[in-house]
Amino acid sequence: MAKKRLYLVYFSPSGSTEKIVKMVANEIANLDEFEVEKINLLYSANRKKKYHFTKDDLVVFGCASAGKLFTLSEEMFECLQAKETPFIGLITYGNAYYGIAIKEMFERANKSGFSVVSLGAFISRRSIDMSLAHDRPDASDLEIIKNFAKKSYEKFLSGDFALHDELKTGWGDWELGKQVIAYRQEHPEVPYTLPPEYKSKEISDACKKCGTCVKNCPTDAIDIENKIFDLDKCIACWACINHCVQHAIKSTSKEFMDIVDSFVKASGRRQEPSLFF
Ligand SMILES: Cc1cc2nc3c(=O)[nH]c(=O)nc-3n(C[C@H](O)[C@H](O)[C@H](O)COP(=O)(O)O)c2cc1C
């Protein structure tokens, strides 16, 4: 009999989401025999392909969150074509809040033909400035991640491919977040994109033009020869900044950094993973 297929699919600009997807998948792979395949949706070339999944496959999907899924989520899910394929979904966030990301993931996965078995919002180091959650996931998170994987797989084996828990938004201690969600619910037509002035960056003389930032930019927004960013294409995912070996790229947006500071002030309390089955 052919082995079952386990797919690891992720959009992980700075690597933490990929790490947690692998933790979940490793736990599942310890429980059964699988053929494992990885699909890295950070690369625009991969998002241009089509991936077809059957009812017998199992997909573990992870996406970083910015209070919602990153701007490319529609494109990400469009390249995934499922037929009632069981889906274990995770989002990661940097100890502030995951906002509406879990709900969005549920909706998008259903639209692509997946059957959502379980969802989890996990805390990982905050990619913007590393000032929050720099040691997450820690040992306590790992236990929760392992149990999440085990319970998800048991549910998958039982043939129950439906989500029963009520999905919740998560706003941490950030009061303003509750107002943001109310506004977004009233105005679904407003796109979630940052204006260009929030995305401005500069590349210092330490840059050796090695091309690592270009390779990891999900929207091909970097002209490294001229050290220019196309800020209309940039989605502010921080991949270029965190992948740069020389630490030569930094944000120059005071507007954005002011918002970041307000998040940090509102994010003192340790958040714990939220799980939905
Ligand atoms: C533009 C941007 C916005 C973010 N917004 C939030 C946020 O609203 N709440 C939060 O807790 N973390 C936020 N983060 C932190 C990331 O969600 C977190 O670090 C995530 O684990 C990054 O995953 P990655 O390492 O796979 O890129 C944001 C990060 C970026 C780059």
Side-chain angles (χ1 to χ4, degrees):
M1 211 175 96
K3 273 192 200 167
K4 286 193 276 273
R5 268 185 305 231
L6 175 64
Y7 288 91
L8 284 63
V9 188
Y10 42 86
F11 181 80
S12 179
S14 299
S16 296
T17 314
E18 178 178 344
K19 191 166 136 188
I20 297 184
V21 165
K22 285 179 178 165
M23 286 173 170
V24 170
N26 281 345
E27 203 56 33
I28 292 175
N30 281 339
L31 300 170
D32 218 330
E33 284 209 21
F34 285 100
E35 236 165 61
V36 177
E37 197 172 315
K38 294 178 194 136
I39 302 174
N40 186 344
L41 295 180
L42 188 65
Y43 305 135
S44 60
N46 286 351
R47 295 194 309 276
K48 289 193 181 100
K49 297 179 190 163
K50 289 274 182 253
Y51 304 91
H52 298 272
F53 306 101
T54 72
K55 203 170 188 263
D56 298 319
D57 299 330
L58 176 59
V59 169
V60 178
F61 182 98
C63 185
S65 116
K68 70 183 298 307
L69 296 182
F70 265 99
T71 317
L72 293 173
S73 62
E74 195 169 342
E75 193 180 312
M76 286 179 226
F77 276 98
E78 262 168 19
C79 69
L80 307 177
Q81 307 205 335
K83 282 196 175 139
E84 293 172 50
T85 311
F87 177 99
I88 298 172
L90 8 144
I91 58 122
T92 64
Y93 70 106
N95 198 64
Y97 53 82
Y98 65 83
I100 59 170
I102 279 282
K103 285 192 165 184
E104 271 187 308
M105 183 174 274
F106 179 70
E107 280 157 21
R108 292 217 184 280
N110 276 324
K111 213 170 147 198
S112 289
F114 289 105
S115 298
V116 180
V117 175
S118 58
L119 293 169
F122 297 95
I123 298 88
S124 56
R125 73 178 183 166
R126 199 172 130 98
S127 51
I128 306 172
D129 55 4
M130 309 291 181
S131 66
L132 289 175
H134 56 89
D135 57 347
R136 308 282 295 271
D138 58 14
S140 150
D141 291 315
L142 185 58
E143 264 320 289
I144 296 171
I145 290 167
K146 282 183 173 176
N147 285 332
F148 171 75
K150 240 167 118 181
K151 198 169 158 189
S152 298
Y153 193 59
E154 278 161 15
K155 191 173 166 207
F156 160 76
L157 285 181
S158 78
D160 177 8
F161 296 175
L163 203 76
H164 305 289
D165 291 337
E166 190 198 335
L167 291 179
K168 293 194 183 82
T169 58
W171 295 106
D173 297 332
W174 196 44
E175 267 309 307
L176 190 57
K178 291 170 192 148
Q179 296 168 29
V180 173
I181 185 71
Y183 178 81
R184 290 210 184 286
Q185 276 165 351
E186 276 166 37
H187 300 277
E189 75 288 357
V190 177
Y192 178 85
T193 46
L194 290 168
E197 64 270 25
Y198 282 68
K199 299 186 280 192
S200 63
K201 281 177 274 295
E202 70 181 18
I203 304 180
S204 77
D205 290 343
C207 168
K208 294 198 162 65
K209 297 192 178 171
C210 68
T212 307
C213 58
V214 175
K215 182 178 157 229
N216 287 288
C217 173
T219 56
D220 308 313
I222 307 171
D223 168 358
I224 195 65
E225 266 321 304
N226 298 302
K227 297 189 178 177
I228 298 171
F229 293 86
D230 181 337
L231 297 181
D232 289 324
K233 283 188 180 174
C234 169
I235 59 162
C237 72
W238 251 244
C240 57
I241 296 177
N242 287 325
H243 281 276
C244 178
V245 191
Q246 310 298 334
H247 306 291
I249 308 177
K250 67 169 201 246
S251 166
T252 50
S253 168
K254 183 172 168 350
E255 291 90 343
F256 188 78
M257 283 315 184
D258 282 350
I259 298 188
V260 168
D261 282 349
S262 77
F263 291 169
V264 172
K265 285 192 189 99
S267 312
R269 183 168 61 84
R270 178 189 167 95
Q271 306 290 339
E272 295 297 343
S274 306
L275 311 179
F276 306 92
F277 289 94

